[in-house]
């Protein structure tokens, strides 16, 4: 009998797939077309997205393989088994700071863009703080609720993104996609690197697989999650190039938002469709930030057993807010995000591979 499926604290493959996709999406989707247009010619950037997606699938597979080796154990528990408890403390601490940095970056980016497009007379500090409080409130609840919110928000994000693409077909010019296959390998490599930075977030499987009822399904779920993001990135990127052309796209700060501004609904039912797109985009930022905050909370509670969740949230939220407001300008915020990406690539790709290698060489396994 499944009378109360959504009250279950454990998650299935569907929740994991959507969680991976939601975590990766974040703010990357609105700036990626500009970055890729600056690295490639015509619409060749789709190749960079595809190649980056394949690499991210590989890294995710390794992370899943590591976590599944220790079923129903936390990241701290199985890392302690592999490399000793003191090193595990250090790694969990680094992961905790990294996750807090993601929250700080996302809420500051949201504050900047909200001020630019929606609340021009409201200080960024107020917008950022308001969003942080909403996220802290969500994280204060059950972890299962965050996964349910992902399931509720993600289809809306995909539908609105599809509407933006379809409604821009009238302005789409296929000539803008040419020339094709003229970008050299250096340009494609640069595009792959930039795309990979914007596809980080898959490392959440290291923390969340322990909550899966059937951990073996994490392989397929994570591939589906990454695949959905790759498909969405390619659609938005190709549409931006087709509508604005490569040369213009690389000069627009937020091409995906500008794409939404081009939408004209018949009958003028919506005069500013970009406000709807922006609202939906806030949902993706919310999902990303809530899961990053949750992982920071898991990391801290792994190291310090005493105290309730609200105590840790009260202690961590001011720190996250100060981290968010530290970069003085938008350029500094983007640079801040770049440093986080460097850290994420190390923690999400290199670290799981190293831990898995050590676990295999030492013959360390979980009890499952």
């Amino acid at each position: 009998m499944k009378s109360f499926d959504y009250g279950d604290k454990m998650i299935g493959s569907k929740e994991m797939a959507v969680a991976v996709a939601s975590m990766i999406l974040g703010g990357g989707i609105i700036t990626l077309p500009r970055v890729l247009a600056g690295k490639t010619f015509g619409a060749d950037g789709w190749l960079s997205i595809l190649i980056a997606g394949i690499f991210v699938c590989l890294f995710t597979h390794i992370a899943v393989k590591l976590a599944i080796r220790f079923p129903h154990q936390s990241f701290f528990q199985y890392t302690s088994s592999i490399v000793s408890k003191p090193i595990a403390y250090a790694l969990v601490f680094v992961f905790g700071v990294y996750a807090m940095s993601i929250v700080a970056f996302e809420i500051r980016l949201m504050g900047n863009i909200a001020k630019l497009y929606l609340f021009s007379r409201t200080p960024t500090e107020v917008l950022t703080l308001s969003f942080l409080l909403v996220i802290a409130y969500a994280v204060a609840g059950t972890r299962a609720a965050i996964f349910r919110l992902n399931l509720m928000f993600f289809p809306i994000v995909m539908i609105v993104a599809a509407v933006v693409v379809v409604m821009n077909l009238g302005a789409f010019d296929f000539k803008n996609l040419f020339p094709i296959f003229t970008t050299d390998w250096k340009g494609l490599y640069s595009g792959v690197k930039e795309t990979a930075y914007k596809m980080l977030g898959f490392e959440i499987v290291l923390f969340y697989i322990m909550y899966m009822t059937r951990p073996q399904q994490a392989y397929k779920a994570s591939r589906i999650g990454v695949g959905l993001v790759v498909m969405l990135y390619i659609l938005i990127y190709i549409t931006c190039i087709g509508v604005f052309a490569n040369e213009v796209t690389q000069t627009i700060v937020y091409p995906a938002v500008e794409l939404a501004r081009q939408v004209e609904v018949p009958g003028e039912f919506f005069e500013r469709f970009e406000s709807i797109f922006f609202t939906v985009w806030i949902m993706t930022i919310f999902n990303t930030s809530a899961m990053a905050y949750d992982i920071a909370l898991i990391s801290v509670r792994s190291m310090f057993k005493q105290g309730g969740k609200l105590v840790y949230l009260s202690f961590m939220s001011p720190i996250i807010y100060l981290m968010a407001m530290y970069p003085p300008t938008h350029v500094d915020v983007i640079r801040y995000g770049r440093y986080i990406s460097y850290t994420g690539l190390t923690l999400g790709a290199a670290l799981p591979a190293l831990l898995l290698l050590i676990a295999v060489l030492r013959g360390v396994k979980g009890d499952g």
Side-chain angles (χ1 to χ4, degrees), residues 159-193:
I159 290 171
V160 171
V163 169
V164 169
V165 170
V166 171
M167 296 299 284
N168 274 283
L169 289 180
F172 195 96
D173 188 347
F174 282 95
K175 293 178 182 175
N176 291 336
L177 304 182
F178 295 93
I180 59 172
F181 303 121
T182 54
T183 306
D184 60 18
W185 69 269
K186 288 182 180 177
L188 288 176
Y189 168 73
S190 187
V192 169
K193 193 170 64 172

Coordinates of all heavy atoms in Angstrom, one line a residue, residues 159-193:
I159 N 9.1 23.7 -18.8 CA 8.0 24.2 -19.6 C 8.2 25.6 -20.1 O 8.1 26.0 -21.2 CB 6.7 24.0 -18.9 CG1 6.3 22.6 -18.8 CG2 5.5 24.8 -19.6 CD1 5.1 22.3 -17.9
V160 N 8.6 26.5 -19.1 CA 8.8 27.9 -19.4 C 10.0 28.1 -20.4 O 10.0 28.9 -21.3 CB 9.0 28.8 -18.1 CG1 9.4 30.2 -18.5 CG2 7.7 28.8 -17.3
A161 N 11.1 27.3 -20.2 CA 12.2 27.4 -21.1 C 11.8 26.9 -22.5 O 12.2 27.6 -23.5 CB 13.3 26.5 -20.6
A162 N 11.0 25.9 -22.6 CA 10.5 25.5 -23.9 C 9.6 26.5 -24.5 O 9.7 26.8 -25.7 CB 9.7 24.2 -23.7
V163 N 8.8 27.2 -23.7 CA 7.9 28.3 -24.3 C 8.8 29.4 -24.8 O 8.6 30.0 -25.9 CB 7.0 28.9 -23.2 CG1 6.3 30.2 -23.6 CG2 5.9 27.8 -22.8
V164 N 9.9 29.8 -24.1 CA 10.8 30.8 -24.6 C 11.4 30.4 -25.9 O 11.5 31.3 -26.8 CB 11.9 31.1 -23.5 CG1 13.0 31.9 -24.1 CG2 11.3 31.7 -22.3
V165 N 11.8 29.2 -26.0 CA 12.4 28.7 -27.3 C 11.4 28.8 -28.4 O 11.7 29.3 -29.5 CB 13.0 27.3 -27.1 CG1 13.4 26.7 -28.5 CG2 14.2 27.3 -26.2
V166 N 10.2 28.2 -28.2 CA 9.2 28.1 -29.2 C 8.7 29.5 -29.7 O 8.6 29.8 -30.9 CB 8.0 27.3 -28.7 CG1 6.8 27.4 -29.7 CG2 8.4 25.8 -28.5
M167 N 8.5 30.4 -28.7 CA 8.0 31.8 -29.0 C 9.1 32.6 -29.7 O 8.7 33.7 -30.3 CB 7.6 32.5 -27.7 CG 6.4 31.8 -27.0 SD 4.9 31.7 -28.1 CE 4.4 33.4 -27.9
N168 N 10.3 32.2 -29.7 CA 11.4 32.9 -30.5 C 11.7 32.4 -31.8 O 12.5 32.9 -32.6 CB 12.7 32.9 -29.7 CG 12.7 34.1 -28.6 OD1 13.0 35.2 -29.0 ND2 12.4 33.7 -27.4
L169 N 10.9 31.3 -32.2 CA 11.2 30.7 -33.5 C 10.9 31.7 -34.7 O 11.5 31.6 -35.7 CB 10.3 29.4 -33.7 CG 10.7 28.2 -32.8 CD1 9.8 27.1 -33.1 CD2 12.2 27.8 -33.1
G170 N 10.0 32.6 -34.5 CA 9.7 33.6 -35.5 C 10.9 34.5 -35.8 O 11.0 35.0 -37.0
A171 N 11.7 34.7 -34.8 CA 12.9 35.6 -35.0 C 14.1 34.8 -35.3 O 15.2 35.4 -35.4 CB 13.1 36.5 -33.8
F172 N 14.0 33.5 -35.3 CA 15.1 32.6 -35.5 C 15.6 32.7 -37.0 O 14.8 32.5 -37.9 CB 14.8 31.2 -35.2 CG 15.9 30.3 -35.0 CD1 16.4 30.0 -33.7 CD2 16.5 29.6 -36.0 CE1 17.5 29.2 -33.5 CE2 17.6 28.8 -35.9 CZ 18.1 28.5 -34.6
D173 N 16.9 33.0 -37.2 CA 17.5 33.0 -38.5 C 18.6 31.9 -38.6 O 19.6 32.0 -38.0 CB 18.1 34.4 -38.8 CG 18.5 34.6 -40.2 OD1 18.6 33.6 -41.0 OD2 18.8 35.7 -40.6
F174 N 18.3 30.9 -39.5 CA 19.3 29.8 -39.6 C 20.6 30.3 -40.1 O 21.6 29.7 -39.9 CB 18.7 28.7 -40.5 CG 17.7 27.9 -39.9 CD1 16.3 28.1 -40.0 CD2 18.1 26.8 -39.1 CE1 15.4 27.3 -39.3 CE2 17.2 26.0 -38.4 CZ 15.8 26.3 -38.6
K175 N 20.7 31.4 -40.8 CA 21.9 31.9 -41.3 C 22.9 32.3 -40.2 O 24.1 32.3 -40.3 CB 21.7 33.2 -42.2 CG 21.0 32.9 -43.5 CD 20.7 34.2 -44.3 CE 20.0 33.9 -45.5 NZ 19.6 35.2 -46.3
N176 N 22.3 32.6 -39.0 CA 23.1 33.0 -37.9 C 23.9 31.8 -37.3 O 24.9 32.0 -36.6 CB 22.3 33.6 -36.7 CG 21.7 34.9 -37.1 OD1 22.2 35.6 -37.9 ND2 20.6 35.3 -36.5
L177 N 23.5 30.6 -37.7 CA 24.2 29.4 -37.1 C 25.5 29.1 -37.9 O 26.3 28.3 -37.4 CB 23.3 28.2 -37.2 CG 21.9 28.3 -36.5 CD1 21.2 27.0 -36.7 CD2 22.1 28.6 -35.1
F178 N 25.7 29.8 -39.0 CA 26.8 29.5 -39.9 C 27.9 30.5 -39.6 O 27.6 31.7 -39.2 CB 26.4 29.5 -41.3 CG 25.5 28.4 -41.7 CD1 24.1 28.5 -41.6 CD2 26.0 27.1 -42.0 CE1 23.2 27.5 -41.9 CE2 25.1 26.0 -42.3 CZ 23.7 26.3 -42.2
P179 N 29.2 30.2 -39.9 CA 29.7 29.0 -40.4 C 29.7 27.9 -39.3 O 29.8 28.2 -38.1 CB 31.1 29.3 -40.8 CG 31.5 30.4 -39.9 CD 30.3 31.2 -39.6
I180 N 29.7 26.6 -39.8 CA 29.7 25.5 -38.8 C 31.0 24.8 -38.9 O 31.6 24.7 -39.9 CB 28.5 24.6 -39.1 CG1 28.5 24.0 -40.5 CG2 27.2 25.3 -38.8 CD1 27.5 22.9 -40.7
F181 N 31.4 24.2 -37.8 CA 32.6 23.3 -37.6 C 33.8 24.1 -38.1 O 34.7 23.5 -38.7 CB 32.4 22.0 -38.4 CG 31.3 21.2 -38.0 CD1 30.3 20.9 -38.9 CD2 31.1 20.8 -36.7 CE1 29.2 20.1 -38.6 CE2 30.0 20.1 -36.3 CZ 29.0 19.7 -37.2
T182 N 33.9 25.4 -37.8 CA 35.1 26.2 -38.1 C 35.9 26.5 -36.9 O 37.0 27.1 -37.0 CB 34.7 27.5 -38.8 OG1 33.7 28.2 -38.0 CG2 34.1 27.2 -40.2
T183 N 35.4 26.2 -35.7 CA 36.1 26.5 -34.5 C 37.3 25.5 -34.3 O 37.0 24.3 -34.4 CB 35.2 26.5 -33.2 OG1 34.1 27.3 -33.5 CG2 35.9 26.9 -32.0
D184 N 38.5 26.0 -34.0 CA 39.6 25.1 -33.8 C 39.5 24.4 -32.5 O 38.7 24.7 -31.6 CB 40.9 25.8 -34.0 CG 41.1 26.9 -33.0 OD1 40.4 26.9 -32.0 OD2 42.0 27.8 -33.2
W185 N 40.4 23.4 -32.2 CA 40.3 22.6 -31.0 C 40.5 23.4 -29.7 O 40.0 23.2 -28.7 CB 41.2 21.4 -31.1 CG 42.7 21.8 -31.0 CD1 43.5 22.1 -32.0 CD2 43.5 22.0 -29.8 NE1 44.8 22.4 -31.6 CE2 44.8 22.4 -30.2 CE3 43.2 21.8 -28.5 CZ2 45.8 22.6 -29.3 CZ3 44.3 22.1 -27.6 CH2 45.5 22.5 -28.0
K186 N 41.3 24.5 -29.9 CA 41.6 25.4 -28.7 C 40.3 26.1 -28.3 O 40.0 26.2 -27.1 CB 42.6 26.4 -29.1 CG 44.1 25.8 -29.2 CD 45.1 26.9 -29.4 CE 46.5 26.3 -29.5 NZ 47.5 27.4 -29.9
G187 N 39.5 26.6 -29.3 CA 38.3 27.2 -29.0 C 37.3 26.3 -28.4 O 36.6 26.6 -27.4
L188 N 37.2 25.0 -28.9 CA 36.2 24.0 -28.4 C 36.6 23.6 -27.0 O 35.8 23.5 -26.1 CB 36.2 22.8 -29.3 CG 35.5 23.0 -30.7 CD1 35.7 21.7 -31.5 CD2 34.1 23.3 -30.5
Y189 N 38.0 23.5 -26.8 CA 38.4 23.1 -25.5 C 38.1 24.2 -24.4 O 37.6 23.9 -23.3 CB 40.0 22.9 -25.5 CG 40.6 22.8 -24.1 CD1 40.4 21.6 -23.3 CD2 41.3 23.8 -23.6 CE1 40.9 21.5 -22.1 CE2 41.9 23.7 -22.3 CZ 41.7 22.6 -21.6 OH 42.2 22.5 -20.3
S190 N 38.3 25.4 -24.8 CA 38.0 26.5 -24.0 C 36.5 26.5 -23.6 O 36.1 26.8 -22.5 CB 38.4 27.8 -24.6 OG 38.2 28.9 -23.7
G191 N 35.7 26.2 -24.7 CA 34.2 26.1 -24.4 C 33.8 25.0 -23.5 O 32.9 25.1 -22.7
V192 N 34.5 23.8 -23.7 CA 34.2 22.7 -22.8 C 34.6 23.0 -21.4 O 33.8 22.7 -20.4 CB 35.1 21.5 -23.3 CG1 35.0 20.4 -22.2 CG2 34.6 21.0 -24.6
K193 N 35.7 23.7 -21.2 CA 36.1 24.1 -19.8 C 35.1 25.0 -19.2 O 34.7 24.8 -18.0 CB 37.5 24.8 -19.9 CG 38.2 24.9 -18.6 CD 39.6 25.3 -18.7 CE 39.7 26.7 -19.4 NZ 41.1 27.3 -19.4

